Amino acid sequence: MIAVIWEVTSRLSVLPDFMFPRLTQVLETLFNGLVNGQIVAAIGKSMSRLLIGFAIAIVLGVIMGYLIWRYKLVEDTLGFLVTALQSIPSIVWFPLAIIWFGLNDFAILFIVTIGATWTMTVSATSGFRNVPTLYQRVAKTFGSTGLHFIRTVIMPASVPQLLSGLRIAWAFSWRALMAGELLGSGGGLGQLLETGRSLGQMDLVISVMIIIAVIGTIMDNVVFMRLERSVQKKWGLA
Amino acid sequence: MYVTIDGIEKSFLNERKEQVQVLDHIDISMEKGSFVSIVGPSGCGKSTLLYMIAGLEKADKGSIRIAGNEVKKPGPDRVVVFQEAGLFPWLTVLENVKYGLLLKKMPKQEAEAKAIDMLKMVHLSNYIHSYPHQLSGGMKQRVSIARALVMEPDILLMDEPFSALDEQTRMVLHKELIDIWKKTKVTIFFVTHNIREAVLLSEKVIVFGTRPGKVKEVIPVPTSTDGVLPDSVTLHTEQRILAILEEEIEKVLKEEMGDDYSFKTNHLHRNDSGDMGSHI
């Protein structure tokens, strides 16, 4: 239905094709982009940045979350700072990142990482905090301490919270990535949008938007939903 | 004596930052292989004492010794069965039972075999690969007991383990616990607020007073080696304990409802028709 309205209004509209392309034209560009590798390469570039930044953010977030949970002093200092930093949209870091790293991959990686880190920290902290005392006591009476205690009790017991943290962190870093690539350089989906704009190719821009929406939906609905469901099923929460 | 609890004192800070003494000079001794219960009104510090033996809490004063060694931290020689089963929901029944064994660095195969044996003992061999949420309350508590026993602890600490279960399940588990105790000869320290349960199961019942918690009386239960006591005997013991506790209950009620409250003694007694001749 939407497709029909789009096609018809575009054909009837007074706007030139390059401003309001027809659906068929967009699909053609999308198909060509996928076949000749232009879009595929951009997806690969964007995803590799995202995965690296996201991975760093998870590790940092979990470590900081642990420290905040474990030590009162860290909670009072870093804990407060994290809440403040969390309210800064990560793209705001971009000017700083350019000065620090130059207009390159690192700058983009930096804002992707920073976009996800604070949310991950907050989720990890609350996840660790909500581990039932009962589980901790049980493990301690069996003689579990130190790393073993963290690995076998604290981490698995906070998995549900960590998962929802991952999901939000993913959304943040995905947005940060697009903004960063749009402003930055070195390929990627965001860069392709910028190319489309400067060449006046709105069909390309819309194609990329479709790709972005598809990837976002796949990650959210397929990957994270499945993970959450399988945990809920195993724990008997569903 | 195997377990010696010597002059334990403990206070907490309440919400108004006042010191509240929960345990006042507790002296208890237990022989190896004995089954001792503690009964008392809620808030008398009986669970706190159990956590101290487990090493999960520290006393302000006094010491707890087991076979001569002072208790300083939790250890697998003293395993606790909590009121709620506390099984790890991310592990299967078998993995839950193996948890402590693997911590003791037991080889995987041996741990698995032992865990399966123990699960057979609590009649759960059909559920070893289930997750805890698939089990009923009674089954979970069985797993929790198996998880504790498989460690072959010197002392089994039980903190109102059956109070969240329904009557039938509780009766079955009472019988199983007695069987297990006889089979393994483990020393059991059992905290409960159910007088009947304490009398049915244990060899010695320690009655706790409250505010602050202290030992009011130690009552030996006529031996129950065959597991079945005549009703008249248990009832008599139960009533004795109840009589001691009444004073404590009144104290708690007065504190909660004001000094003019008077607790009518006779209403709490079980029906008197059952104890014919017990006062002779």
Side-chain angles (χ1 to χ4, degrees):
Chain A
M1 186 63 199
I2 295 170
V4 173
I5 294 174
W6 181 356
E7 189 68 29
V8 173
T9 48
S10 164
R11 275 174 197 276
L12 296 177
S13 119
V14 289
L15 291 169
D17 264 1
F18 77 87
M19 286 178 79
F20 190 7
R22 279 171 288 119
L23 175 62
T24 41
Q25 197 186 337
V26 170
L27 290 178
E28 200 187 316
T29 316
L30 182 60
F31 182 74
N32 287 337
L34 287 172
V35 170
N36 72 24
Q38 188 191 20
I39 291 181
V40 178
I43 293 176
K45 188 86 189 163
S46 289
M47 290 309 272
S48 69
R49 277 183 189 139
L50 186 65
L51 288 180
I52 296 169
F54 192 49
I56 299 173
I58 292 169
V59 174
L60 280 179
V62 169
I63 292 174
M64 286 200 285
Y66 172 74
L67 293 175
I68 292 173
W69 166 69
R70 189 72 181 68
Y71 302 102
K72 185 84 181 87
L73 181 72
V74 183
E75 187 191 341
D76 291 340
T77 52
L78 183 67
F80 180 74
L81 190 66
V82 165
T83 327
L85 288 172
Q86 198 196 1
S87 59
I88 303 176
S90 59
I91 193 65
V92 171
W93 288 91
F94 205 52
L96 263 186
I98 294 173
I99 300 300
W100 287 346
F101 306 106
L103 197 59
N104 55 23
D105 261 7
F106 277 116
I108 296 172
L109 210 53
F110 177 75
I111 61 160
V112 169
T113 308
I114 231 159
T117 304
W118 311 127
T119 347
M120 201 57 218
T121 308
V122 172
S123 302
T125 311
S126 82
F128 296 152
R129 234 177 239 153
N130 287 324
V131 176
T133 337
L134 183 59
Y135 297 158
Q136 302 186 31
R137 280 184 166 156
V138 167
K140 281 192 181 141
T141 56
F142 283 118
S144 176
T145 49
L147 264 182
H148 182 273
F149 181 64
I150 295 165
R151 187 170 54 82
T152 62
V153 183
I154 299 299
M155 288 305 284
S158 40
V159 157
Q161 291 242 17
L162 290 179
L163 265 185
S164 59
L166 281 185
R167 195 167 167 178
I168 305 168
W170 160 269
F172 274 111
S173 55
W174 181 238
R175 281 156 183 70
L177 175 72
M178 286 309 133
E181 285 182 347
L182 205 57
L183 296 173
S185 64
L189 286 169
Q191 193 68 83
L192 208 54
L193 279 175
E194 179 60 16
T195 313
R197 185 199 62 81
S198 55
L199 296 179
Q201 272 190 292
M202 286 310 114
D203 51 340
L204 180 61
V205 170
I206 296 176
S207 305
V208 173
M209 284 168 68
I210 291 172
I211 294 287
I212 290 171
V214 167
I215 294 177
T217 315
I218 289 176
M219 281 310 285
D220 210 52
N221 286 348
V222 181
V223 179
F224 287 116
M225 287 276 257
R226 281 223 180 133
L227 275 176
E228 269 176 29
R229 278 224 192 97
S230 82
V231 169
Q232 280 175 348
K233 198 171 159 222
K234 195 168 148 184
W235 288 43
L237 299 170
Chain B
M1 276 300 153
Y2 185 57
V3 181
T4 332
I5 299 172
D6 186 19
I8 287 289
E9 286 182 24
K10 173 90 180 171
S11 6
F12 287 123
L13 282 178
N14 69 3
E15 314 92 76
R16 275 168 285 158
K17 303 270 175 208
E18 294 160 343
Q19 285 271 331
V20 179
Q21 193 165 25
V22 279
L23 290 173
D24 181 24
H25 209 90
I26 308 290
D27 293 313
I28 294 172
S29 51
M30 284 168 69
E31 280 166 59
K32 195 171 174 63
S34 60
F35 194 139
V36 176
S37 290
I38 289 201
V39 293
S42 54
C44 70
K46 49 195 194 307
S47 292
T48 310
L49 182 65
L50 181 136
Y51 289 155
M52 282 179 189
I53 302 175
L56 291 167
E57 294 214 25
K58 291 205 170 10
D60 297 339
K61 238 190 215 171
S63 68
I64 296 173
R65 284 169 190 285
I66 292 165
N69 304 315
E70 189 162 350
V71 171
K72 289 217 174 80
K73 56 178 172 67
D77 55 326
R78 291 154 277 132
V79 179
V80 186
V81 177
F82 294 89
Q83 183 175 353
E84 286 155 82
L87 304 175
F88 298 143
W90 56 91
L91 298 179
T92 63
V93 166
L94 182 62
E95 287 164 343
N96 262 293
V97 177
K98 278 198 305 195
Y99 182 84
L101 293 176
L102 296 178
L103 244 172
K104 280 210 288 195
K105 304 264 182 287
M106 184 180 278
K108 278 195 179 130
Q109 302 241 306
E110 199 187 333
E112 181 140 345
K114 272 193 110 163
I116 290 173
D117 274 354
M118 192 52 72
L119 283 165
K120 268 187 196 142
M121 193 154 124
V122 296
H123 312 292
L124 278 176
S125 38
N126 290 335
Y127 294 90
I128 54 175
H129 297 300
S130 308
Y131 282 95
H133 74 94
Q134 295 165 313
L135 308 180
S136 69
M139 284 151 89
K140 278 186 208 161
Q141 204 52 277
R142 279 206 186 98
V143 177
S144 154
I145 291 170
R147 178 173 69 172
L149 284 170
V150 81
M151 299 294 287
E152 294 172 353
D154 300 329
I155 305 176
L156 189 59
L157 301 163
M158 305 185 92
D159 183 18
E160 306 195 16
F162 306 137
S163 62
L165 304 177
D166 61 86
E167 192 66 34
Q168 286 94 326
T169 317
R170 195 181 310 160
M171 272 160 56
V172 175
L173 285 179
H174 281 165
K175 201 183 155 297
E176 285 182 15
L177 181 62
I178 291 279
D179 288 346
I180 287 169
W181 174 56
K182 280 183 190 146
K183 229 183 274 176
T184 59
K185 267 296 156 197
V186 59
T187 311
I188 299 183
F189 184 85
F190 193 95
V191 165
T192 178
H193 55 241
N194 186 331
I195 300 169
R196 165 156 291 184
E197 185 172 76
V199 172
L200 274 177
L201 294 173
S202 47
E203 300 174 309
K204 195 161 89 177
V205 179
I206 297 172
V207 185
F208 252 49
T210 186
R211 329 247 162 153
K214 55 187 174 295
V215 178
K216 287 218 57 154
E217 205 157 335
V218 179
I219 294 174
V221 180
T223 44
S224 58
T225 33
D226 55 348
V228 193
L229 275 175
D231 277 353
S232 62
V233 179
T234 52
L235 203 59
H236 176 57
T237 317
E238 262 178 61
Q239 291 200 341
R240 235 181 105 191
I241 295 171
L242 201 55
I244 300 166
L245 278 178
E246 245 156 38
E247 197 183 308
E248 294 303 321
I249 293 168
E250 185 152 333
K251 201 155 87 185
V252 174
L253 286 175
K254 272 205 169 126
E255 205 167 290
E256 284 171 1
M257 309 195 190
D259 278 342
D260 53 333
Y261 188 88
S262 164
F263 179 61
K264 297 240 172 16
T265 311
N266 290 330
H267 286 205
L268 201 70
H269 275 300
R270 287 179 192 277
N271 59 334
D272 285 334
S273 58
D275 68 341
M276 275 200 329
S278 62
H279 292 293
I280 298 172

